[in-house]
Amino acid sequence: MFVISKIFWLVAQPMSLAFLSLLVGVLMMLARLRRSGGILASLGLAVLFLSLFTTAGPYFLQILEDRFPRPSPPPSEVSCIIVLGGAFENVVIASRGGMEFNQAADRFVETVRLAKAYPSARILVSGGDGSLSGAYEGDARASRGFFEAFGIAADRVIREEASRTTFENARYTKDLLAANRLERCALVTSAYHMPRSVGLFRSNGLEVVPWAADYRTDGKVRLGFDFTQPSLNAQLATTAAKEWTGLAAYYLLGRTQTLLPQ
């Protein structure tokens, strides 16, 4: 299932879908299947235009980000802080060493802040190598030096190094929480990723305190045209499409109880 999902997304992401639709459409028109080829090519152009020159991507990403606001007021106590991987540039680290982050770095920055606010809480880092090759360190292993740099004792940190997907994050984390007798945990992940994560944790019998980080929108996006930042629009559209596809897939597979948890 892991490999299938990776291959599927290579084709289904908006830019790939647009390119393949245009390519196949043109080939069909050259083969004198003009009507069908024209429809397919038009679909590719529509996907390309929506991704590049509208706020559709940011808008649908914002819907997910608004689903689970941070608790206010914050809880007086939590026994652990679960942070989901996906923030380290493990391919770059493997080649160059050091400590490199991507846009999701806020997940770990927020975890450090929470660790200071709740000094008795354990930290559980969930994240193995999610690449197809399986040749790199996952975030759980790569984060060792990060927490040490901020003065967080190594014995506070629990590492789950086997998971490759959000589904596995929840399943393997459940076992570690039970083994360490931890309950009432905060869950830190990107805001747009929180609905899918909470849905999977709930399906595994785990109630968590959602603690969103790594917001990509300002919360004020409306549907419309935007010709000022096509590359950013395309990036956010890809992120939104991936997350909504993941929500639908997990629901249809029976891995979550609702399509859009709240």
Side-chain angles (χ1 to χ4, degrees), residues 86-90 92-93 97-109 112 139 142-147 150:
F88 283 85
E89 287 287 359
N90 294 307
V92 177
I93 293 172
M99 194 179 301
E100 300 292 334
F101 289 92
N102 57 36
Q103 278 186 286
D106 285 358
R107 299 184 187 186
F108 283 83
V109 174
V112 169
D139 281 32
S143 66
R144 290 176 180 174
F146 175 80
F147 288 116
F150 286 92

Short mmCIF file of all heavy atoms in Angstrom, two decimals, residues 86-90 92-93 97-109 112 139 142-147 150:
data_model
loop_
_atom_site.label_atom_id
_atom_site.label_comp_id
_atom_site.label_asym_id
_atom_site.label_seq_id
_atom_site.Cartn_x
_atom_site.Cartn_y
_atom_site.Cartn_z
N GLY A 86 8.56 14.87 9.13
CA GLY A 86 8.29 15.49 7.85
C GLY A 86 8.92 16.86 7.74
O GLY A 86 8.68 17.58 6.76
N ALA A 87 9.76 17.22 8.72
CA ALA A 87 10.35 18.56 8.75
C ALA A 87 11.82 18.58 8.35
O ALA A 87 12.35 19.63 7.99
CB ALA A 87 10.19 19.17 10.15
N PHE A 88 12.50 17.45 8.41
CA PHE A 88 13.93 17.42 8.10
C PHE A 88 14.15 17.08 6.63
O PHE A 88 13.45 16.25 6.05
CB PHE A 88 14.64 16.36 8.97
CG PHE A 88 14.87 16.80 10.39
CD1 PHE A 88 13.88 16.63 11.35
CD2 PHE A 88 16.06 17.39 10.76
CE1 PHE A 88 14.09 17.04 12.65
CE2 PHE A 88 16.28 17.79 12.07
CZ PHE A 88 15.28 17.63 13.02
N GLU A 89 15.15 17.73 6.03
CA GLU A 89 15.56 17.43 4.66
C GLU A 89 16.58 16.29 4.71
O GLU A 89 17.79 16.51 4.63
CB GLU A 89 16.16 18.67 3.99
CG GLU A 89 15.15 19.72 3.63
CD GLU A 89 14.29 19.32 2.43
OE1 GLU A 89 14.50 18.22 1.88
OE2 GLU A 89 13.39 20.10 2.07
N ASN A 90 16.06 15.09 4.85
CA ASN A 90 16.94 13.94 5.10
C ASN A 90 17.84 13.59 3.91
O ASN A 90 18.93 13.08 4.09
CB ASN A 90 16.09 12.74 5.51
CG ASN A 90 15.42 12.96 6.85
OD1 ASN A 90 16.06 13.28 7.83
ND2 ASN A 90 14.10 12.81 6.89
N VAL A 92 19.19 15.82 1.86
CA VAL A 92 20.29 16.78 1.93
C VAL A 92 21.23 16.44 3.07
O VAL A 92 22.46 16.49 2.93
CB VAL A 92 19.74 18.21 2.09
CG1 VAL A 92 20.88 19.22 2.24
CG2 VAL A 92 18.86 18.59 0.92
N ILE A 93 20.67 16.07 4.22
CA ILE A 93 21.49 15.72 5.38
C ILE A 93 22.39 14.53 5.07
O ILE A 93 23.56 14.50 5.46
CB ILE A 93 20.59 15.41 6.60
CG1 ILE A 93 19.87 16.69 7.05
CG2 ILE A 93 21.41 14.83 7.75
CD1 ILE A 93 18.81 16.45 8.12
N GLY A 97 25.47 16.39 5.55
CA GLY A 97 25.58 16.41 7.00
C GLY A 97 24.85 17.60 7.58
O GLY A 97 24.09 18.29 6.90
N GLY A 98 25.08 17.88 8.84
CA GLY A 98 24.45 19.03 9.48
C GLY A 98 23.00 18.78 9.80
O GLY A 98 22.54 17.64 9.94
N MET A 99 22.24 19.87 9.86
CA MET A 99 20.83 19.81 10.23
C MET A 99 20.06 20.74 9.30
O MET A 99 20.19 21.96 9.38
CB MET A 99 20.67 20.27 11.69
CG MET A 99 19.34 19.95 12.33
SD MET A 99 19.31 20.53 14.04
CE MET A 99 20.69 19.61 14.74
N GLU A 100 19.27 20.19 8.40
CA GLU A 100 18.55 20.97 7.41
C GLU A 100 17.05 20.71 7.52
O GLU A 100 16.62 19.57 7.67
CB GLU A 100 19.02 20.62 5.99
CG GLU A 100 20.50 20.86 5.74
CD GLU A 100 20.85 22.34 5.75
OE1 GLU A 100 19.96 23.17 5.46
OE2 GLU A 100 22.01 22.66 6.06
N PHE A 101 16.27 21.80 7.44
CA PHE A 101 14.82 21.70 7.57
C PHE A 101 14.12 22.15 6.30
O PHE A 101 14.68 22.89 5.49
CB PHE A 101 14.32 22.59 8.72
CG PHE A 101 14.69 22.09 10.08
CD1 PHE A 101 15.86 22.50 10.70
CD2 PHE A 101 13.86 21.21 10.76
CE1 PHE A 101 16.19 22.05 11.96
CE2 PHE A 101 14.18 20.75 12.02
CZ PHE A 101 15.35 21.16 12.62
N ASN A 102 12.87 21.73 6.14
CA ASN A 102 12.01 22.25 5.09
C ASN A 102 10.97 23.18 5.71
O ASN A 102 11.13 23.61 6.85
CB ASN A 102 11.37 21.10 4.30
CG ASN A 102 10.59 20.15 5.20
OD1 ASN A 102 9.96 20.56 6.17
ND2 ASN A 102 10.62 18.87 4.88
N GLN A 103 9.89 23.46 4.98
CA GLN A 103 8.89 24.41 5.46
C GLN A 103 8.19 23.96 6.74
O GLN A 103 7.62 24.78 7.46
CB GLN A 103 7.83 24.64 4.37
CG GLN A 103 8.22 25.65 3.32
CD GLN A 103 7.08 25.93 2.38
OE1 GLN A 103 6.76 25.11 1.53
NE2 GLN A 103 6.45 27.07 2.50
N ALA A 104 8.21 22.68 7.02
CA ALA A 104 7.52 22.17 8.20
C ALA A 104 8.34 22.27 9.47
O ALA A 104 7.99 21.69 10.50
CB ALA A 104 7.10 20.72 7.97
N ALA A 105 9.44 23.02 9.44
CA ALA A 105 10.32 23.14 10.60
C ALA A 105 9.59 23.63 11.85
O ALA A 105 9.98 23.31 12.98
CB ALA A 105 11.48 24.09 10.28
N ASP A 106 8.50 24.41 11.65
CA ASP A 106 7.75 24.93 12.79
C ASP A 106 7.24 23.82 13.71
O ASP A 106 6.99 24.06 14.89
CB ASP A 106 6.56 25.76 12.31
CG ASP A 106 6.99 27.12 11.79
OD1 ASP A 106 8.20 27.41 11.84
OD2 ASP A 106 6.12 27.88 11.31
N ARG A 107 7.06 22.62 13.17
CA ARG A 107 6.62 21.51 14.02
C ARG A 107 7.60 21.31 15.17
O ARG A 107 7.19 21.14 16.33
CB ARG A 107 6.52 20.22 13.20
CG ARG A 107 5.53 20.23 12.05
CD ARG A 107 5.46 18.87 11.39
NE ARG A 107 4.65 18.87 10.18
CZ ARG A 107 4.33 17.80 9.48
NH1 ARG A 107 4.76 16.60 9.89
NH2 ARG A 107 3.59 17.88 8.38
N PHE A 108 8.88 21.34 14.86
CA PHE A 108 9.88 21.08 15.90
C PHE A 108 10.17 22.32 16.73
O PHE A 108 10.47 22.22 17.92
CB PHE A 108 11.16 20.53 15.26
CG PHE A 108 11.03 19.08 14.89
CD1 PHE A 108 10.42 18.70 13.70
CD2 PHE A 108 11.47 18.08 15.74
CE1 PHE A 108 10.26 17.37 13.36
CE2 PHE A 108 11.31 16.74 15.42
CZ PHE A 108 10.71 16.38 14.24
N VAL A 109 10.07 23.50 16.12
CA VAL A 109 10.23 24.74 16.88
C VAL A 109 9.13 24.84 17.94
O VAL A 109 9.39 25.17 19.10
CB VAL A 109 10.19 25.96 15.95
CG1 VAL A 109 10.19 27.26 16.76
CG2 VAL A 109 11.37 25.95 14.99
N VAL A 112 9.72 22.43 20.86
CA VAL A 112 10.68 22.95 21.84
C VAL A 112 10.01 23.95 22.77
O VAL A 112 10.21 23.94 23.98
CB VAL A 112 11.89 23.60 21.13
CG1 VAL A 112 12.75 24.38 22.13
CG2 VAL A 112 12.74 22.54 20.44
N ASP A 139 12.93 11.37 10.59
CA ASP A 139 13.00 12.53 11.47
C ASP A 139 13.27 12.18 12.92
O ASP A 139 13.91 12.95 13.64
CB ASP A 139 11.69 13.32 11.37
CG ASP A 139 11.63 14.17 10.12
OD1 ASP A 139 12.20 13.75 9.10
OD2 ASP A 139 11.00 15.24 10.15
N ALA A 142 16.98 11.85 13.02
CA ALA A 142 17.65 13.10 12.66
C ALA A 142 17.48 14.19 13.72
O ALA A 142 18.29 15.11 13.78
CB ALA A 142 17.12 13.60 11.32
N SER A 143 16.45 14.07 14.55
CA SER A 143 16.16 15.12 15.52
C SER A 143 17.01 15.06 16.78
O SER A 143 16.88 15.94 17.64
CB SER A 143 14.67 15.05 15.92
OG SER A 143 14.39 13.85 16.63
N ARG A 144 17.84 14.07 16.91
CA ARG A 144 18.62 13.93 18.14
C ARG A 144 19.43 15.17 18.46
O ARG A 144 19.36 15.73 19.56
CB ARG A 144 19.56 12.72 18.02
CG ARG A 144 18.82 11.38 18.05
CD ARG A 144 19.76 10.22 17.83
NE ARG A 144 19.05 8.95 17.84
CZ ARG A 144 19.61 7.78 17.57
NH1 ARG A 144 20.89 7.72 17.24
NH2 ARG A 144 18.89 6.68 17.61
N GLY A 145 20.21 15.63 17.51
CA GLY A 145 21.03 16.81 17.74
C GLY A 145 20.22 18.06 17.95
O GLY A 145 20.64 18.97 18.67
N PHE A 146 19.03 18.12 17.35
CA PHE A 146 18.18 19.30 17.47
C PHE A 146 17.75 19.53 18.91
O PHE A 146 17.90 20.64 19.45
CB PHE A 146 16.96 19.15 16.56
CG PHE A 146 15.97 20.26 16.69
CD1 PHE A 146 16.17 21.48 16.06
CD2 PHE A 146 14.81 20.09 17.45
CE1 PHE A 146 15.25 22.51 16.18
CE2 PHE A 146 13.89 21.12 17.57
CZ PHE A 146 14.11 22.33 16.95
N PHE A 147 17.22 18.52 19.54
CA PHE A 147 16.74 18.68 20.92
C PHE A 147 17.90 18.91 21.89
O PHE A 147 17.79 19.69 22.83
CB PHE A 147 15.91 17.48 21.34
CG PHE A 147 14.56 17.43 20.67
CD1 PHE A 147 14.24 16.39 19.81
CD2 PHE A 147 13.62 18.41 20.89
CE1 PHE A 147 13.00 16.34 19.18
CE2 PHE A 147 12.38 18.38 20.26
CZ PHE A 147 12.07 17.33 19.40
N PHE A 150 18.98 22.49 22.21
CA PHE A 150 18.11 23.36 23.00
C PHE A 150 18.03 22.93 24.46
O PHE A 150 17.15 23.36 25.20
CB PHE A 150 16.71 23.40 22.39
CG PHE A 150 16.64 24.22 21.13
CD1 PHE A 150 16.82 23.63 19.89
CD2 PHE A 150 16.43 25.59 21.18
CE1 PHE A 150 16.77 24.37 18.73
CE2 PHE A 150 16.38 26.35 20.02
CZ PHE A 150 16.55 25.74 18.79
#
